[in-house]
Amino acid sequence: WFTAWTRYKTVEEYYLPRMITEITGQTKVPFGDGVIATRDTVIGYEICEELWNPTSSHQDLGLDGVEIIINGSGSYMELRKAYVAVELIRSATLKSGGCYMFSNLRG
C-alpha cells in the first residue's frame, strides 16, 4: 500500500484531479516531509509506526521547533498495548516538549 518517504525534509507539489480542482479551485497540493507553521505555533505529523520506532521522527520535529506533534494511529488494540502506547506518548512529549496529540482510528 505505502512506500516509505525517503526524502528527508522535502516537500513536492502534486497536481490534484480535475474533479477536486473544480470544487476547490486548488490545482496542486504539497506532499512530503514538511510541517505547518502558523503565527502562533508549528505543527508536525508522524504516522503510527513511527511512534514505536527507536528513531522516531518526533525527535527531529521537536529539535526543529515543532510544538504540536499529531499521530493518527490505525493500530488494533490488544490487552496491555494501550499502556505501552501511553508510555511511548509520554516519553515522546518529555523528549520533544510541546504537545503530542494521539488518536487511535481503530479499537
Side-chain angles (χ1 to χ4, degrees), residues 21-80:
T21 299
E22 290 171 4
I23 295 169
T24 65
Q26 183 177 346
T27 58
K28 294 187 260 182
V29 63
F31 188 85
D33 184 18
V35 298
I36 298 171
T38 68
R39 282 188 266 175
D40 299 325
T41 193
V42 181
I43 303 167
Y45 185 87
E46 69 178 3
I47 63 170
C48 56
E49 183 182 337
E50 291 173 318
L51 176 63
W52 300 83
N53 190 318
T55 56
S56 299
S57 61
H58 65 259
Q59 296 170 22
D60 289 333
L61 292 171
L63 291 171
D64 286 342
V66 173
E67 296 176 319
I68 300 172
I69 299 169
I70 300 169
N71 184 324
S73 177
S75 297
Y76 61 91
M77 282 300 174
E78 61 185 51
L79 193 60
R80 292 182 208 66

Side-chain angles (χ1 to χ4, degrees), residues 51 58-59 62-63 69 86-100:
L51 176 63
H58 65 259
Q59 296 170 22
L63 291 171
I69 299 169
V86 168
E87 287 304 311
L88 287 170
I89 294 162
R90 182 177 293 139
S91 174
T93 305
L94 289 172
K95 286 188 283 186
S96 305
C99 174
Y100 195 99

